[in-house]
Amino acid sequence: MASLSREALQQENKFVMETAKLIEKEILSSPPTRKEKVINFLHPQELIDRVDFKLNESGMNQEQLLKLCKDAIKYSVRTSNPMFVNQLYHAADPYSLAGSWLTEALNTNQHTFEAAPFFIVLEQLLLREVRSIIGWESGDGIFAPGGSIGNMYAMTLARHHKYPEAKRKGLAQCGHLVAFTSDEAHYSIKKSANWIGLGMDNVITVKTNEFGEMIPAELDFAMVKAKSEGKIPFFVNATCGTTVLGASDSFVAVGEICKKHDVWMHIDAAWGGSLLLSKKHRKESLKGVELADSIVWNPHKMLGASLQCTLFLTKYQNLLKECNSASATYLFQQDKFYDTQYDTGDKSMQCGRKVDVLKLWLMWKARGTNGLEHLVDNACHQALYFQSLIKERPGFRLVIPRVQCTNVCFWYVPPSLRGQEETEEWWKELGQVAPKIKERMVKEGTMLIGYQPLGTKKLPNFFRLVISCQPPLTNDDMKHIADEIERLGNDL
Amino acid sequence: MASLSREALQQENKFVMETAKLIEKEILSSPPTRKEKVINFLHPQELIDRVDFKLNESGMNQEQLLKLCKDAIKYSVRTSNPMFVNQLYHAADPYSLAGSWLTEALNTNQHTFEAAPFFIVLEQLLLREVRSIIGWESGDGIFAPGGSIGNMYAMTLARHHKYPEAKRKGLAQCGHLVAFTSDEAHYSIKKSANWIGLGMDNVITVKTNEFGEMIPAELDFAMVKAKSEGKIPFFVNATCGTTVLGASDSFVAVGEICKKHDVWMHIDAAWGGSLLLSKKHRKESLKGVELADSIVWNPHKMLGASLQCTLFLTKYQNLLKECNSASATYLFQQDKFYDTQYDTGDKSMQCGRKVDVLKLWLMWKARGTNGLEHLVDNACHQALYFQSLIKERPGFRLVIPRVQCTNVCFWYVPPSLRGQEETEEWWKELGQVAPKIKERMVKEGTMLIGYQPLGTKKLPNFFRLVISCQPPLTNDDMKHIADEIERLGNDL
Ligand SMILES: Cc1ncc(COP(=O)(O)O)c(C=O)c1O
Ligand SMILES: Cc1ncc(COP(=O)(O)O)c(C=O)c1O
């Protein structure tokens, strides 16, 4: 039974620190090592049988609760383990984690200066800094709950830019709008097209070259064709760091085509945006980024900010508010005594909005722009190193002959499949290797690495190694990854 | 400069615990008291001058960082102070906070069983429990990043239910769709209408009675009228706990009308949904809730889960997936060795999704359903008590003669305005009182309570007291709130 006294609350607060101590002991105190398991795998039903998930009438004491927290740790994937290279996010940067804890303890809301003075100011300043890194002199932006919703911000903003009356009248007023994206782009563009009423079929996919880069001439052609059919291009999504191959489209070429057709260019840099911080890699992967009308960047991916941390940025200054405002008088009163331009809530499509800026700011402050660059460069370096390792190693075969972002895509060809004619049957069998190795590694818990087929290029299942800043990986880790795959796949 | 060694990482991890200790000292160790300030107010520019927000090339040491954390605490609103009654959220429940910290430390992603086995299972079980509390035997659901996006889930799902082909073809195929909501409903319905391509003008607002409840006959009439104009009603939003007056629509009456017209009924219970846990209050405020096709509930509001914690629930079993799936092969491979129906990511319109379930589960486990009920009942009780206090107190005047949810809306009439004829001019002057009192309380930092006008009822600025579960407030707090308003407004 909950007691209502302040003293009881103080007692309850103690549990927060008990949990912190548990986290210290189980997660933070020892440097993550490859020897620990990445996962103690149980099938869903086994997990249900093993853990006391059930909600009851009466509560538990703090000791029992700590046991539940231990279970949560025990059966969760350890993203802080160097051998977790399964997704486009990895461990949280420790400084980001500290920022998250403080954010949670302060439990406030990024909608008005009144409710979050410190964080509102901080968000504006940090977004301005990122815009200047992009190369924009002015503009606007907002933190969004994830890159998918960030991309939806972009599509709705582009639509508003072209048809401001759609805000009131709806899409019915707009004619047959179409958007363009490459066939390697993230699926959130299509999901957004569904939600915003455009329809997934009205996202025209543009072919990519062998590296997964959008072919500019194909984009131009697709636009001309759409127009000739009476359709109205309003949005092009270019990608910096495609999900699987890590490809970056040519923003210079795409930007020119968008300019020619007077269409909004968005860059989905959810994954590759962190390369902005590397003088070396931004030149290759982000040339022409400033030509974009809007950009999404997820520091919660490569950079190691804890989930969720997504920046939506646009070079237009008032458009976000024009597009999204509803002027609720209960929140955004104009008779407040402070400068209400700081009440950013009306730019947002959300009402309450989680504070996602403190964690990014704290890690940036801790490491400086140079420190972050160093980490990004290391991630890229390790990817290149891994590629060089497996290039000559028997049984490993690269899917494309280069590393893009930190993605290294490769097959492992077990001995039984080597030196044979590569018939259709052979490729089919090869496609079954990655899932089998994956199953073994999950069950042993030694490593997690993703695999997938690539339908657009008719490629059967291959591994995708992706490297992030946290924890910083080493050459030794790279060797271990190759060894481990060989160990698990050797007898297949 | 960031070091890349594991030992450096261990050193960095220490900072997390340093931050925890700071939070313990500054926020958790003493029970929150009314004597502490709710806010150390600075205007935006003053804040910018006072705090070292700037990002630099080089990093800082841990001591300097801790100083920044202290600044963040110092200049943030203390939502844990009992005198923070400004918004529909308040302090985080300590058990929720513990759950948040653990969530952040584990830093994983609610999209596949592979990446978050524990949390995926937990989310499914907890959502099932809530559906059974609602009174549904089956159905589906998902945690969403906030109630606004929850409401957008509802609108897109309703649209899909009626026009599944819109997913591919877009709204162009659907005829002139219209949605209905009361004039007291939350603005997120209109914001969503903008985003989903419906257009804000195609949200037809239905009049409310003096208490802010949708008038069922008006809804029926509006629907008949829309149909006669060739429009197609597809969605009705009913509210449990309107933002300002706390009103709950009659779900029984609205449900009947929706049934008659074959239209989706959504209940936005972002604010009032926590009353589900009170046997007493659910009878009054949630009668007929099971008639809804979908429901949004924000435990991050009244219940005290930390931000963000939003449940979207629907009584249909496969619709979420049908509506939102894009079948990305890189995440939702069908050749996985475990039961892939647990990969919930394709039901979501997000890709990465923050884990928001652990915190709610942990507080529920700690307190039991009974303990949560006790806290909800206390919040309702204190609101009633406050109302009874000010009913007879000179200078206080209720906006409506009853408490709904925990909202108490009232004017403070300063002595200089008492006993006068209540002309238009008088009301205008009264409307300037709340902002002035608010300015004083913000500058002194003694309390934060919201005020707003109510355009729909042509009412000038009044205070809205809203009470949540955390920290549990007392009769004494209620007296203090009334006293404080009087103290600050006495001489106006
Ligand atoms: C009735 C109602 N519905 C929905 C919302 C939106 O919830 P959120 O702030 O989580 O987006 C609010 C927010 O105050 C609300 O009061
Ligand atoms: C290229 C790209 N864009 C966007 C996203 C979506 O980001 P989020 O998972 O934050 O929604 C992803 C996710 O993997 C991605 O790879």
Side-chain angles (χ1 to χ4, degrees):
Chain A
M1 201 67 156
S3 163
L4 303 175
S5 73
R6 298 278 146 83
E7 289 65 36
L9 187 54
Q10 199 174 357
Q11 222 20 63
E12 292 168 5
N13 276 340
K14 290 216 171 106
F15 182 71
V16 182
M17 290 308 292
E18 289 304 315
T19 309
K21 279 179 212 148
L22 176 70
I23 294 169
E24 181 181 28
K25 178 159 168 272
E26 301 273 331
I27 304 179
L28 301 175
S29 67
S30 50
T33 116
R34 297 191 301 256
K35 287 194 206 101
E36 285 152 33
K37 281 190 167 191
V38 182
I39 173 75
N40 290 300
F41 184 80
L42 292 179
H43 281 282
Q45 192 54 52
E46 293 169 329
L47 199 53
I48 292 169
D49 296 340
R50 197 80 60 96
V51 178
D52 173 19
F53 286 113
K54 209 172 153 306
L55 298 168
N56 301 305
E57 292 286 297
S58 32
M60 281 188 157
N61 64 34
Q62 296 198 353
E63 204 176 312
Q64 293 167 314
L65 284 176
L66 268 185
K67 165 76 175 63
L68 293 181
C69 291
K70 270 188 208 160
D71 283 346
I73 296 173
K74 180 167 176 191
Y75 297 115
S76 284
V77 165
R78 290 299 185 92
T79 58
S80 57
N81 188 303
M83 289 303 107
F84 177 76
V85 286
N86 204 59
Q87 314 283 157
L88 298 181
Y89 66 93
H90 301 71
D93 185 302
Y95 296 110
S96 168
L97 181 56
S100 297
W101 282 16
L102 183 50
T103 300
E104 298 290 332
L106 290 168
N107 196 49
T108 193
N109 194 316
Q110 193 76 295
H111 56 18
T112 58
F113 181 78
E114 188 173 331
F118 191 92
F119 301 127
I120 286 271
V121 165
L122 178 56
E123 184 176 270
Q124 294 204 19
L125 295 178
L126 192 142
L127 288 170
R128 188 195 295 165
E129 180 72 25
V130 175
R131 286 197 305 270
S132 92
I133 291 175
I134 290 169
W136 289 339
E137 272 168 27
S138 64
D140 202 352
I142 197 160
F143 278 66
S148 300
I149 293 178
N151 285 336
M152 200 148 80
Y153 263 104
M155 291 182 95
T156 52
L157 208 59
R159 182 179 75 191
H160 187 80
H161 186 61
K162 201 165 186 91
Y163 291 106
E165 62 282 15
K167 180 176 181 179
R168 303 228 142 265
K169 303 287 169 205
L171 268 182
Q173 307 298 309
C174 300
H176 190 152
L177 294 181
V178 284
F180 300 81
T181 192
S182 87
D183 59 17
E184 288 297 323
H186 192 254
Y187 68 83
S188 53
I189 299 295
K190 290 210 167 173
K191 285 207 175 187
S192 294
N194 172 23
W195 270 43
I196 74 166
L198 185 70
M200 288 164 80
D201 287 353
N202 292 313
V203 177
I204 296 173
T205 45
V206 179
K207 279 210 197 88
T208 50
N209 65 19
E210 59 182 309
F211 301 109
E213 302 162 342
M214 192 194 281
I215 301 169
E218 294 274 348
L219 172 65
D220 194 26
F221 178 77
M223 283 201 181
V224 171
K225 179 161 177 284
K227 281 176 163 179
S228 76
E229 293 163 359
K231 296 172 187 165
I232 307 164
F234 80 107
F235 180 83
V236 170
N237 173 62
T239 307
C240 173
T242 59
T243 311
V244 177
L245 297 176
S248 286
D249 298 331
S250 163
F251 308 127
V252 174
V254 172
E256 260 169 36
I257 294 164
C258 286
K259 200 165 170 197
K260 183 174 108 184
H261 293 279
D262 190 22
V263 170
W264 185 284
M265 172 163 76
H266 172 63
I267 299 180
D268 173 359
W271 173 232
S274 296
L275 300 179
L276 271 172
L277 297 170
S278 162
K279 286 184 267 313
K280 181 168 164 202
H281 295 283
R282 103 168 251 176
K283 261 190 251 145
E284 297 155 23
S285 299
L286 280 147
K287 196 156 173 252
V289 63
E290 70 284 355
L291 300 173
D293 296 288
S294 60
I295 296 172
V296 158
W297 170 37
N298 277 5
H300 76 228
K301 296 193 192 283
M302 194 186 298
L303 206 61
S306 13
L307 273 159
Q308 59 197 40
C309 189
T310 295
L311 283 69
F312 172 77
L313 300 141
T314 173
K315 73 172 188 202
Y316 299 96
Q317 205 151 16
N318 298 312
L319 205 58
L320 263 177
K321 181 148 186 192
E322 279 166 34
C323 174
N324 293 327
S325 64
S327 309
T329 45
Y330 82 95
L331 266 184
F332 310 117
Q333 305 94 318
Q334 296 306 306
D335 51 9
K336 288 179 180 176
F337 70 93
Y338 62 79
D339 182 356
T340 55
Q341 61 143 316
Y342 282 89
D343 287 353
T344 50
D346 226 15
K347 294 201 281 201
S348 170
M349 82 72 44
Q350 303 186 269
C351 170
R353 188 157 61 88
K354 194 167 172 52
V355 174
D356 291 326
V357 65
L358 182 68
K359 53 193 167 194
L360 177 60
W361 179 64
L362 217 57
M363 57 190 267
W364 205 321
K365 277 294 213 182
R367 306 187 183 283
T369 312
N370 289 340
L372 294 178
E373 176 173 32
H374 194 50
L375 287 165
V376 170
D377 283 345
N378 178 60
C380 294
H381 167 76
Q382 296 303 338
L384 276 169
Y385 180 75
F386 184 80
Q387 186 212 30
S388 74
L389 270 185
I390 64 169
K391 217 169 184 171
E392 310 295 331
R393 185 161 169 161
F396 288 81
R397 182 189 296 198
L398 291 167
V399 173
I400 52 169
R402 71 187 194 205
V403 174
Q404 305 184 126
C405 268
T406 65
N407 305 41
V408 190
C409 295
F410 64 95
W411 287 281
Y412 176 71
V413 188
S416 69
L417 285 176
R418 288 180 209 162
Q420 297 180 17
E421 200 190 335
E422 301 185 358
T423 59
E424 212 167 296
E425 187 51 35
W426 185 89
W427 280 102
K428 223 175 123 192
E429 279 188 45
L430 182 60
Q432 289 162 12
V433 171
K436 274 192 207 136
I437 293 178
K438 177 76 178 253
E439 176 173 354
R440 289 176 176 186
M441 73 173 64
V442 172
K443 286 184 171 163
E444 291 192 27
T446 49
M447 182 167 128
L448 282 181
I449 182 174
Y451 73 82
Q452 65 290 300
L454 200 62
T456 48
K457 311 258 181 270
K458 300 201 172 53
L459 301 175
N461 285 320
F462 54 86
F463 288 111
R464 175 198 64 171
L465 175 68
V466 273
I467 297 173
S468 290
C469 295
Q470 293 295 337
L473 299 186
T474 61
N475 288 358
D476 223 45
D477 293 325
M478 296 302 110
K479 285 188 205 123
H480 187 81
I481 291 171
D483 289 349
E484 185 61 13
I485 286 175
E486 192 170 275
R487 181 181 75 81
L488 292 164
N490 211 1
D491 65 338
L492 288 177
Chain B
M1 200 68 158
S3 162
L4 303 175
S5 74
R6 298 278 145 81
E7 290 65 35
L9 188 53
Q10 198 174 359
Q11 220 23 62
E12 292 169 5
N13 276 340
K14 290 215 169 105
F15 183 71
V16 183
M17 290 309 291
E18 289 304 314
T19 309
K21 280 180 211 148
L22 176 71
I23 294 170
E24 182 181 28
K25 179 160 168 275
E26 301 273 332
I27 305 179
L28 301 175
S29 66
S30 50
T33 119
R34 298 191 301 258
K35 287 195 206 98
E36 285 152 30
K37 283 189 166 191
V38 182
I39 172 77
N40 290 300
F41 183 80
L42 292 179
H43 281 283
Q45 192 54 53
E46 292 169 330
L47 198 53
I48 292 169
D49 296 340
R50 197 80 61 95
V51 178
D52 173 20
F53 285 114
K54 209 172 152 308
L55 298 168
N56 302 305
E57 292 285 297
S58 31
M60 281 187 156
N61 65 35
Q62 297 198 355
E63 204 177 312
Q64 292 166 316
L65 284 176
L66 268 186
K67 165 76 176 62
L68 292 181
C69 291
K70 272 188 203 158
D71 283 345
I73 296 173
K74 180 167 177 192
Y75 297 115
S76 283
V77 165
R78 289 297 185 94
T79 59
S80 57
N81 188 303
M83 290 301 107
F84 177 76
V85 286
N86 204 61
Q87 314 283 157
L88 298 181
Y89 67 94
H90 300 72
D93 185 302
Y95 296 110
S96 168
L97 181 55
S100 297
W101 282 16
L102 183 49
T103 302
E104 298 289 334
L106 289 169
N107 196 50
T108 193
N109 195 316
Q110 193 75 299
H111 57 16
T112 58
F113 180 79
E114 187 174 333
F118 191 91
F119 301 126
I120 284 272
V121 165
L122 179 56
E123 185 175 90
Q124 294 204 19
L125 295 178
L126 192 142
L127 288 170
R128 189 194 295 164
E129 180 73 26
V130 174
R131 285 197 306 269
S132 93
I133 290 174
I134 290 168
W136 290 338
E137 272 168 28
S138 63
D140 202 353
I142 197 160
F143 278 66
S148 300
I149 293 177
N151 285 335
M152 200 147 82
Y153 262 105
M155 291 181 94
T156 51
L157 208 60
R159 182 179 75 191
H160 187 81
H161 186 61
K162 200 166 187 90
Y163 291 107
E165 62 281 16
K167 179 176 180 177
R168 303 226 142 267
K169 302 287 171 207
L171 269 181
Q173 307 299 308
C174 300
H176 191 153
L177 295 180
V178 283
F180 299 80
T181 192
S182 87
D183 58 18
E184 288 297 324
H186 191 254
Y187 69 83
S188 52
I189 300 296
K190 291 210 168 172
K191 284 207 175 187
S192 294
N194 171 22
W195 270 43
I196 73 166
L198 186 70
M200 288 163 80
D201 288 353
N202 292 314
V203 178
I204 295 174
T205 46
V206 179
K207 279 209 196 89
T208 50
N209 64 18
E210 59 184 308
F211 301 108
E213 301 163 342
M214 191 194 280
I215 302 169
E218 294 272 351
L219 172 65
D220 194 25
F221 177 77
M223 282 200 182
V224 171
K225 180 162 176 282
K227 281 179 165 176
S228 76
E229 293 164 356
K231 296 171 185 165
I232 307 164
F234 80 108
F235 180 82
V236 170
N237 174 62
T239 308
C240 173
T242 59
T243 311
V244 177
L245 296 175
S248 286
D249 298 331
S250 163
F251 307 128
V252 175
V254 172
E256 261 170 34
I257 295 165
C258 286
K259 200 167 171 194
K260 184 173 108 184
H261 293 280
D262 189 24
V263 170
W264 185 284
M265 172 162 76
H266 172 63
I267 299 180
D268 173 0
W271 173 232
S274 296
L275 300 179
L276 271 172
L277 297 171
S278 162
K279 287 185 266 313
K280 182 168 164 202
H281 295 283
R282 102 167 250 175
K283 260 191 250 145
E284 298 155 21
S285 300
L286 280 147
K287 196 157 173 250
V289 63
E290 69 284 356
L291 301 173
D293 295 289
S294 60
I295 296 173
V296 158
W297 169 38
N298 277 4
H300 75 228
K301 295 194 192 283
M302 194 186 297
L303 206 61
S306 14
L307 274 157
Q308 59 198 39
C309 188
T310 295
L311 283 69
F312 172 77
L313 300 141
T314 172
K315 73 172 189 201
Y316 299 96
Q317 204 151 14
N318 297 315
L319 205 57
L320 263 177
K321 180 147 186 193
E322 278 165 35
C323 174
N324 294 327
S325 64
S327 310
T329 45
Y330 82 95
L331 265 183
F332 311 117
Q333 304 94 318
Q334 296 306 308
D335 50 10
K336 287 179 180 177
F337 69 93
Y338 63 79
D339 182 355
T340 55
Q341 62 144 315
Y342 282 89
D343 287 353
T344 50
D346 226 14
K347 293 200 282 200
S348 169
M349 84 71 43
Q350 303 186 270
C351 170
R353 189 157 58 90
K354 193 168 173 53
V355 174
D356 291 327
V357 65
L358 182 68
K359 52 193 169 195
L360 177 60
W361 179 65
L362 217 56
M363 55 190 269
W364 204 322
K365 277 293 210 182
R367 305 187 183 284
T369 312
N370 289 340
L372 293 179
E373 175 172 35
H374 194 50
L375 286 165
V376 170
D377 283 345
N378 177 62
C380 294
H381 167 75
Q382 297 302 339
L384 277 169
Y385 179 74
F386 183 80
Q387 186 211 30
S388 73
L389 269 186
I390 64 169
K391 218 170 184 169
E392 310 296 332
R393 186 161 171 160
F396 287 82
R397 183 190 293 200
L398 290 167
V399 172
I400 53 169
R402 70 185 194 207
V403 173
Q404 306 183 126
C405 272
T406 65
N407 305 42
V408 190
C409 294
F410 64 95
W411 288 281
Y412 175 72
V413 187
S416 69
L417 284 176
R418 289 182 207 158
Q420 297 182 16
E421 200 190 333
E422 301 186 354
T423 59
E424 211 167 296
E425 186 52 35
W426 184 91
W427 280 102
K428 224 177 123 189
E429 278 188 46
L430 182 62
Q432 289 162 13
V433 170
K436 273 192 208 135
I437 294 178
K438 177 77 179 252
E439 177 174 353
R440 288 176 177 186
M441 75 173 64
V442 171
K443 285 183 173 163
E444 290 192 26
T446 51
M447 182 167 129
L448 282 181
I449 182 173
Y451 73 83
Q452 65 290 303
L454 201 60
T456 48
K457 310 260 181 269
K458 298 201 173 50
L459 300 175
N461 284 319
F462 54 87
F463 288 112
R464 175 198 65 172
L465 176 68
V466 274
I467 297 173
S468 290
C469 294
Q470 293 296 337
L473 300 186
T474 62
N475 288 0
D476 223 44
D477 294 325
M478 296 301 111
K479 286 190 203 121
H480 187 81
I481 290 171
D483 289 350
E484 185 61 12
I485 285 176
E486 192 168 274
R487 182 181 75 81
L488 293 165
N490 213 0
D491 66 338
L492 287 178

